[in-house]
């Protein structure tokens, strides 16, 4: 056992003790959901020593047939013909793919929004994720009355029932010197290396261009990723008013009030302002060709822009929102909206060619009762769809099975690139000696089916209802524990841990040189002589 492995094991033990809070006993057990909350402790069937034998081990740069040995939550060896003792749990992965667990960069669990709260908390949402092969997610902390510190503490409390690893992004909803100083605290002390700016939701979360510029400058100085929800909030507000005046109050009014051009304009504006500041930019939930083309143009020019489509934008069109049944139509309401025919295929092509870099979900689930808050006014329908459990399967079926991407590309798009962007690689996003033992085993010859009747979210609907496809996650290992096997979840609240994410990811490499080149190119100030009288 080399020194690097010993260091990683002790680090893992230290972090587990530091970030694994004991949760209180909980009182619910949802019928049919496949698991119950209980007292803190390891799930039955867990083992600190696991051998995955004979599978095709896939990283973003390489795939090879090998064994993977896991001990104390860490990948201890990746090689052929590993010999182990009787105290080791052995899993036969012959003919299957052994891959890093998925990392979902975009979720909203226990989020207060539009006079309600998302139906999945940090236990039910994470349990659903594990059943679908995702072993870490990054959730968005919403400030409390603009306070980042208060928001952070609120989410620490919410996350006490977590059952897998997670990190935090932080939203910025106002600007003053206190917020600026709190951003420093979040980065230096709390392990947050990304900040999100909402260009939509006027009167609630939306910020203006002045705040956007100040925030971008602060992100640059801290080495933090600036993220944007790109829609023109003023235009959306005007579009909503227009729809109501036309008597269009149903879910279709939501999509009609915020067309693709509104997303494209905001994406372009955010990109240009980020270029003006010279800081990397991450565009969340890319939903349209319009937004994608702006990202493509910027990247072609050399600007550091990351585009994140989500499962909904890759796999759905807007037909559902026109359904005559309100319950069915309302479940598709999200922002930016799911677009018309043609957008999904274009985004898939952009993902396969490198214009877009990774896949999230924007998992923000509201049940039918919550959605019905807007039955007479689409503006009151809580925005959000599911995806945390479905992402890995749908991306495999729509992108790998169709031949658009390779298996190594799949690992990059669902896990590795997220780990690199948020400075977690190779601890996360890889199956390498010393990496965290977050691993899935996917059987390409098995099939999956999606239904609200047996998914693991608390949601009573599913925007992918009835979808079937090839490729099924048969085993999920999180933190060195088998948590999903034989279609059975083995999860316990309080066993997840918070993962701090350091600043200055690879996207900041060489930024100082770019700044110096910019300054030297100015040829200013010009020396001028005052005329003498």
């Amino acid at each position: 056992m080399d020194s690097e492995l010993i260091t990683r094991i002790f680090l893992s033990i230290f972090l587990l003790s530091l970030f694994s809070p004991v949760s209180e006993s909980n009182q619910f057990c949802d019928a049919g959901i496949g698991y119950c909350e209980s007292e803190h402790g390891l799930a039955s069937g867990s083992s600190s020593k696991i051998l995955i034998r004979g599978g095709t081990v896939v990283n973003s740069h390489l795939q090879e047939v090998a064994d993977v040995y896991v001990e104390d939550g860490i990948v201890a060896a990746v090689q052929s013909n590993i010999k182990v003792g009787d105290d080791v749990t052995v899993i036969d992965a012959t003919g299957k793919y052994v891959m890093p667990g998925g990392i979902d960069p975009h979720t909203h669990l226990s989020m207060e929004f539009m006079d309600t709260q998302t139906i999945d908390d940090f236990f039910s949402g994470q349990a659903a994720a594990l059943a679908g092969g995702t072993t870490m997610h990054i959730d968005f902390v919403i400030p409390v009355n603009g306070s980042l510190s208060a928001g952070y503490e609120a989410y620490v409390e919410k996350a006490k029932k977590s059952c897998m690893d997670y990190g935090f992004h932080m939203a910025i909803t106002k600007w003053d010197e206190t917020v600026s100083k709190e951003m420093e605290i979040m980065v230096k002390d709390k392990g947050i290396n990304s900040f999100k700016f909402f260009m939509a939701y006027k009167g609630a979360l939306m910020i203006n261009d002045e705040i956007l510029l100040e925030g971008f400058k602060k992100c640059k100085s801290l080495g933090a990723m600036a993220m944007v929800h790109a829609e023109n909030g003023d235009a959306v507000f005007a579009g909503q008013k227009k729809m109501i005046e036309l008597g269009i109050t149903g879910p279709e009014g939501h999509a009609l009030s915020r067309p693709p051009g509104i997303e494209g304009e905001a994406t372009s504006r955010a990109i240009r302002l980020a270029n003006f500041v010279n800081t990397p930019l991450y565009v969340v939930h890319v939903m349209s060709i319009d937004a994608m083309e702006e990202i493509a143009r910027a990247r072609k020019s050399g600007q550091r822009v990351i585009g994140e489509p989500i499962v909904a934008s890759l796999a759905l069109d807007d037909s559902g929102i026109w359904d005559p049944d309100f319950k069915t139509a309302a479940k598709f309401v999200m922002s930016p909206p799911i677009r018309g025919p043609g957008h999904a295929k274009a985004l898939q092509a952009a993902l396969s060619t490198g214009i877009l870099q990774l896949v999230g979900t924007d998992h923000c689930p509201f049940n039918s009762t919550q959605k019905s808050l807007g039955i007479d006014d689409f503006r009151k329908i809580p925005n959000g769809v599911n995806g945390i459990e479905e992402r890995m399967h749908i991306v495999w079926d729509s992108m790998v099975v169709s031949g658009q991407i390779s298996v190594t590309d799949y690992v990059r798009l669902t896990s590795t690139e997220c780990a690199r962007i948020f400075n977690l690689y190779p601890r996360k996003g890889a199956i390498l000696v010393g990496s965290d033992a977050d691993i899935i085993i996917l059987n390409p010859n098995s099939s999956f089916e999606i239904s609200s009747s047996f998914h693991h979210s608390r949601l009573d609907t599913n925007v992918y209802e009835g979808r079937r496809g090839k490729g099924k996650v048969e085993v999920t290992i999180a933190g060195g524990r088998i948590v999903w096997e034989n279609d059975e979840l083995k999860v316990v609240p309080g066993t997840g841990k918070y993962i701090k994410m350091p600043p200055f990811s690879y996207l900041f490499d060489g930024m100082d040189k770019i700044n110096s080149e910019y300054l030297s190119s100015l040829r200013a100030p010009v020396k001028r002589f005052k005329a003498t009288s």
Side-chain angles (χ1 to χ4, degrees):
M1 185 178 292
D2 60 30
S3 59
E4 180 184 356
L5 178 57
I6 293 172
T7 301
R8 289 287 292 120
I9 290 173
F10 277 107
L11 177 61
S12 177
I13 294 170
F14 170 73
L15 288 173
L16 185 62
S17 66
L18 190 62
F19 295 118
S20 294
V22 177
S23 70
E24 296 178 359
S25 176
N26 293 278
Q27 302 301 316
F28 83 95
C29 179
D30 293 343
I33 205 167
Y35 60 88
C36 300
E37 296 193 69
S38 61
E39 293 291 345
H40 175 86
L42 291 179
S44 61
S46 63
S47 172
S48 63
K49 298 178 182 180
I50 302 169
L51 177 67
I52 305 170
R53 177 171 286 159
T56 300
V57 180
V58 186
N59 283 295
S60 63
H61 64 287
L62 175 72
Q63 67 179 72
E64 59 181 337
V65 176
D67 298 343
V68 178
Y69 177 60
V70 170
E71 186 169 341
D72 295 328
I74 302 295
V75 176
V78 182
Q79 62 189 63
S80 299
N81 301 316
I82 297 175
K83 306 300 181 184
V84 295
D86 295 336
D87 60 335
V88 176
T89 300
V90 179
I91 302 173
D92 183 9
T94 304
K96 303 172 185 179
Y97 291 110
V98 180
M99 299 184 283
I103 307 174
D104 189 340
H106 189 158
T107 62
H108 298 281
L109 302 180
S110 294
M111 176 190 178
E112 288 90 5
F113 186 56
M114 296 183 73
D115 299 322
T116 186
Q117 180 171 300
T118 52
I119 198 67
D120 277 330
D121 59 20
F122 274 79
F123 181 67
S124 66
Q126 290 183 355
L130 291 168
T134 289
T135 54
M136 180 178 172
H137 72 111
I138 312 177
D139 211 81
F140 286 91
V141 173
I142 305 300
V144 176
N145 297 322
S147 169
L148 277 56
S149 297
Y152 174 81
E153 293 302 326
Y155 271 74
V156 167
E157 186 65 27
K158 292 176 182 183
K160 283 185 176 180
K161 58 174 66 177
S162 66
C163 58
M164 76 180 196
D165 290 356
Y166 62 95
F168 287 149
H169 307 292
M170 175 67 70
I172 302 296
T173 56
K174 72 172 188 177
W175 190 260
D176 55 29
E177 192 58 33
T178 299
V179 170
S180 178
K181 290 179 179 177
E182 283 190 313
M183 286 177 71
E184 296 180 19
I185 295 170
M186 293 300 119
V187 172
K188 295 174 182 177
D189 298 337
K190 305 302 184 184
I192 292 174
N193 67 1
S194 49
F195 295 91
K196 181 179 181 181
F197 302 86
F198 288 89
M199 301 171 75
Y201 301 120
K202 186 172 183 177
L205 300 171
M206 178 179 162
I207 49 87
N208 58 30
D209 287 355
E210 180 182 5
I211 294 176
L212 201 58
L213 283 166
E214 291 297 328
F216 282 2
K217 288 189 287 185
K218 192 67 178 182
C219 284
K220 178 181 178 180
S221 70
L222 294 172
M225 178 60 67
M227 313 175 80
V228 290
H229 172 132
E231 287 183 289
N232 186 314
D234 289 321
V236 168
F237 184 79
Q240 291 174 327
K241 184 179 178 182
K242 180 180 179 180
M243 291 303 113
I244 296 299
E245 290 172 349
L246 291 172
I248 303 171
T249 61
E252 68 278 7
H254 176 78
L256 293 171
S257 69
R258 46 213 311 156
I262 299 305
E263 182 187 356
E265 184 280 331
T267 303
S268 174
R269 180 158 38 101
I271 287 171
R272 292 168 188 270
L273 292 179
N275 189 50
F276 178 71
V277 174
N278 188 29
T279 195
L281 180 69
Y282 184 117
V283 183
V284 305
H285 49 41
V286 177
M287 301 297 292
S288 67
I289 294 172
D290 305 56
M292 177 270 288
E293 288 180 341
E294 296 295 339
I295 293 167
R297 188 176 297 113
R299 289 180 62 85
K300 186 176 181 180
S301 72
Q303 190 174 346
R304 300 182 186 190
V305 180
I306 299 295
E308 171 212 88
I310 61 173
V311 182
S313 66
L314 295 170
L316 300 174
D317 63 32
D318 68 349
S319 57
I321 210 165
W322 295 87
D323 195 284
D325 176 62
F326 175 85
K327 177 181 175 181
T328 300
K331 74 179 180 179
F332 292 99
V333 170
M334 65 166 295
S335 295
I338 298 165
R339 303 301 184 184
H343 286 270
K345 285 296 183 184
L347 295 181
Q348 288 182 19
L351 190 65
S352 68
T353 56
I355 293 170
L356 303 175
Q357 286 67 53
L358 74 169
V359 182
T361 63
D362 194 10
H363 183 80
C364 188
F366 297 98
N367 65 22
S368 299
T369 301
Q370 293 170 305
K371 291 278 189 175
S372 69
L373 292 170
I375 195 166
D376 297 317
D377 185 345
F378 68 84
R379 296 172 297 179
K380 297 178 182 179
I381 301 173
N383 292 193
V385 300
N386 60 290
I388 201 168
E389 183 171 358
E390 297 80 12
R391 180 181 71 121
M392 299 292 281
H393 287 120
I394 291 177
V395 174
W396 179 271
D397 185 55
S398 61
M399 300 297 293
V400 181
V401 175
S402 68
Q404 294 187 78
I405 63 172
S406 67
V407 181
T408 53
D409 288 335
Y410 174 80
V411 169
R412 174 174 54 83
L413 296 169
T414 60
S415 185
T416 307
E417 189 58 24
C418 183
R420 292 182 70 236
I421 290 169
F422 297 105
N423 229 0
L424 295 169
Y425 185 85
R427 178 183 179 182
K428 301 290 186 182
I431 301 179
L432 300 170
V433 173
S435 298
D436 285 357
D438 297 334
I439 299 169
I440 63 172
I441 300 174
L442 184 145
N443 186 342
N445 298 312
S446 289
S447 299
F448 69 85
E449 181 180 358
I450 297 171
S451 174
S452 59
S453 63
F454 50 76
H455 68 198
H456 296 82
S457 166
R458 287 179 176 154
L459 197 58
D460 62 341
T461 62
N462 194 307
V463 292
Y464 310 101
E465 186 71 38
R467 181 169 180 137
R468 294 177 173 86
K470 293 287 289 185
K472 187 175 189 301
V473 175
E474 294 186 337
V475 177
T476 303
I477 298 169
R481 301 191 309 275
I482 300 170
V483 294
W484 172 254
E485 188 177 29
N486 300 320
D487 291 335
E488 181 184 356
L489 269 171
K490 303 172 183 178
V491 290
V492 177
T495 53
K497 58 182 182 290
Y498 176 62
I499 306 297
K500 288 188 173 183
M501 300 180 292
F504 293 103
S505 74
Y506 81 95
L507 290 164
F508 286 86
D509 292 349
M511 275 296 186
D512 290 343
K513 183 178 180 181
I514 295 173
N515 291 333
S516 297
E517 289 176 351
Y518 165 73
L519 292 173
S520 64
S521 72
L522 294 178
R523 298 183 296 132
V526 175
K527 292 183 179 180
R528 293 183 172 86
F529 299 97
K530 293 182 178 180
T532 56
S533 56

